[in-house]
Amino acid sequence: MTKISYASMLSALIASAYCVGSASAQNVRWKPEGIAANGTGCQLGENTALILAGDQMQIIFWNMGIYLPANSGLPLAQRKACTVALGAEISGGYYAKGIKQSLRYGGIKSANASAAIAGQSTFFGLPLKPLTVNLENGTPFNEVSAVVESEDGFLASDPSPAMWCLAGFNPSGLLTARVVTQGSRDSDAEDLLLSSHLYDLKYTATMLWDKCPM
């Protein structure tokens, strides 16, 4: 796929998704104009897309995968990383009672290869549960779409979430997500294709809100 077709696809995805998000009631206003993406596996507008829909955000990666097909002459190991920071503004009188996260991936791995995906995020400085995928040596893997999920729950009485309910709290902050993919194989005879080519890597975060106690 050429860079021109990538750009067209990303523009269409972002425009349609953002319109859907804008039309629905939500307690977070995302700020895509200031998004930053840095790392060896991501470049906004070419191989990384942001989709916003109400209280949900999704990052789609096209270049974060491990691509080491059998008999390719490529190295036996590969690693990629990306950190994305997206601005957010919270409606007054609400706090995040929960945050759901997911990583969707797919690929093909022969038995004598191993791979892993690790995701670590923060929201307004609060660390969220890590997302991890471990595909161990000794077991083949062949899935078009697999997912790992987590959910963080917060109480308004907890010190960190309670900050959103303070009268002088700054409603603007960041959601940051760092994703790392890595893999290795015993020899060039092994296949290791993790979230590459036909298998996208997608990170999703969904905000769950509640009103601040009176």
Side-chain angles (χ1 to χ4, degrees), residues 43 92 108 147 167 206 213:
Q43 186 172 353
I108 298 174
V147 65
T206 304

Side-chain angles (χ1 to χ4, degrees), residues 49-71:
L50 170 69
I51 297 179
L52 305 176
D55 286 316
Q56 183 181 89
M57 61 85 73
Q58 184 178 85
I59 308 167
I60 304 177
F61 301 98
W62 278 278
N63 192 44
M64 276 289 290
I66 303 302
Y67 182 70
L68 298 173
N71 304 312

Side-chain angles (χ1 to χ4, degrees), residues 25-31 33 54-56 86-99 122-126 128 154 160-175 206-212:
Q26 60 189 82
N27 291 311
V28 61
R29 183 175 72 84
W30 303 109
K31 299 180 178 180
E33 64 279 2
D55 286 316
Q56 183 181 89
L86 173 65
E89 185 175 310
I90 298 174
S91 299
Y94 289 85
Y95 74 97
K97 71 173 182 179
I99 299 177
T122 65
F123 187 61
F124 277 67
L126 288 177
L128 307 181
F154 304 110
S160 295
M163 65 184 179
W164 284 308
C165 297
L166 297 176
F169 175 67
N170 182 353
S172 296
L174 291 174
L175 186 150
T206 304
M207 308 296 133
L208 306 175
W209 301 96
D210 205 351
K211 290 185 178 181
C212 290

Side-chain angles (χ1 to χ4, degrees), residues 75-163:
L76 298 183
Q78 198 172 76
R79 182 182 186 276
K80 294 182 180 178
C82 182
T83 300
V84 177
L86 173 65
E89 185 175 310
I90 298 174
S91 299
Y94 289 85
Y95 74 97
K97 71 173 182 179
I99 299 177
K100 294 182 178 180
Q101 299 181 93
S102 70
L103 272 176
R104 188 168 293 277
Y105 62 99
I108 298 174
K109 180 189 78 67
S110 54
N112 296 318
S114 63
I117 305 173
Q120 180 63 67
S121 302
T122 65
F123 187 61
F124 277 67
L126 288 177
L128 307 181
K129 292 178 181 177
L131 295 165
T132 58
V133 175
N134 289 302
L135 303 177
E136 297 180 352
N137 194 302
T139 304
F141 174 80
N142 189 345
E143 293 284 347
V144 174
S145 182
V147 65
V148 58
E149 299 174 308
S150 73
E151 182 172 349
D152 289 86
F154 304 110
L155 298 174
S157 57
D158 292 342
S160 295
M163 65 184 179

